[in-house]
Amino acid sequence: GGLIVAYGELLIDFVPTVAGVSLAEAPAFKKAPGGAPANVAVCVSRLGGNAAFIGKVGDDEFGHMLADVLMSNKVDVEGLRFDSNARTALAFVTLRSDGEREFMFFRNPSADMLMVPSELDEDLIRRSSTFHYGSISLISEPSRSTQCAAMKLARESGSLMSYDVNLRLALWPSPEAAHEGIMSIWDQADLIKVSDEEVKFLTKGGNDKLDEVVLSLWRPNLKLLLVTDGPDGCRYYTRGFKGRVMSFKVDAVDTTGAGDAFVGGLLHILAKNKGLLDDEIALRSALQFACACGAITTTGKGAIPSMPDRKAVLKLIGVTTI
Ligand code: ATP
């Protein structure tokens, strides 16, 4: 398969050592590698694919620790930069007992926010067959212009453009700015993945006529729109067909990274066969593979430690080859 380049944030998540507490109640925190695009790159690599990461961390112990994590997962870090004037981004994250995630970010500003266009590994971007990105780097300058420059280069090089929205409302100056920023690059994607909650935010709509709401996010150039929905798997929309693929029943302990594993699984299969975007049977089997990746990731704590390998996915799906 071709090279999958994931672009964006790479940071340290501090997660409470006990479950179901608020950040204030947490007695202690354990550090975990985080950042949605980095999780996607690790997932692709675990599955046996070819993945690279582009972004910036601080030239500090945490930044180098994150680089080591990517390298030990065989993710190409040629495009990773180290900033000697800004720290690696930190986030304290907890899943409270009421099921809500609580975040506290330390980015004032962090290294990832300060990436400039001259730091882009243009050759790596040109070599990508898939370019995957989110919306966190769009929040402020100069990282916004840098992401736009990287996307332009990837598009001109013929990469498949993959967008996982990843709404983090608290990081944007206002909900309006978040809406505008996220939608500002909507037209450039071949493939967009949103969660159920993100659809609600982006369309300001209820859930009653979901298909109509989702179709307001459709664009003529889009090849695939995916809405993920936890254990209920995902809905898919293409020019020619739409439907749902259910996920697999597992004992979920921590859903962190499920969406990223889902994307990683899909991009991995797509890298081998882009034609499946026009073939519903093939697409459904790729989405089944993606759902299995998401499901497996929920069975262990943290995102990167519980990313699946190919064997685990095939076992859950119940086939020996795909
Ligand atoms: P994240 O928690 O990483 O932000 P997300 O909201 O982007 O995730 P989800 O819908 O939670 O995405 O999960 C992505 C995919 O992972 C789902 O489409 C499903 O296939 C799988 N998945 C998630 N949670 C479960 C679960 N409890 N049981 C089975 N499969 C799951």
Side-chain angles (χ1 to χ4, degrees), residues 74 100 115 127 150 156 175 187 207 215 217 246 260 307:
K74 299 194 179 73
E100 285 302 304
M115 184 140 172
R127 281 190 283 126
E156 287 169 359
D187 292 346
N207 219 344
L215 289 175
L217 298 175
M246 292 299 290
D260 306 329
M307 286 293 170

Side-chain angles (χ1 to χ4, degrees), residues 101 164 166 168 193-198 227-234 245-252 255-263 287 290-296 298:
R101 273 220 172 90
D164 180 355
N166 201 12
R168 291 280 177 268
K193 178 248 171 207
V194 283
S195 67
D196 231 21
E197 297 102 78
E198 285 161 350
V227 183
T228 57
D229 194 7
D232 289 334
C234 68
V245 170
M246 292 299 290
S247 190
F248 296 84
K249 255 205 142 39
V250 290
D251 289 320
T255 62
T256 308
D260 306 329
F262 174 90
V263 172
L287 290 174
C291 283
C293 291
I296 289 166
T298 69

Side-chain angles (χ1 to χ4, degrees), residues 248-322:
F248 296 84
K249 255 205 142 39
V250 290
D251 289 320
V253 300
D254 175 8
T255 62
T256 308
D260 306 329
F262 174 90
V263 172
L266 178 64
L267 295 184
H268 175 61
I269 302 292
L270 261 179
K272 294 190 270 193
N273 174 16
K274 285 185 181 158
L276 64 77
L277 290 171
D278 302 311
D279 173 350
E280 187 166 11
I281 307 258
L283 178 64
R284 287 185 63 87
S285 105
L287 290 174
Q288 241 181 20
F289 186 93
C291 283
C293 291
I296 289 166
T297 303
T298 69
T299 62
K301 275 183 127 181
I304 285 181
S306 51
M307 286 293 170
D309 60 19
R310 190 181 148 79
K311 223 172 111 195
V313 179
L314 297 184
K315 188 171 166 221
L316 183 60
I317 298 179
V319 300
T320 51
T321 181
I322 190 160

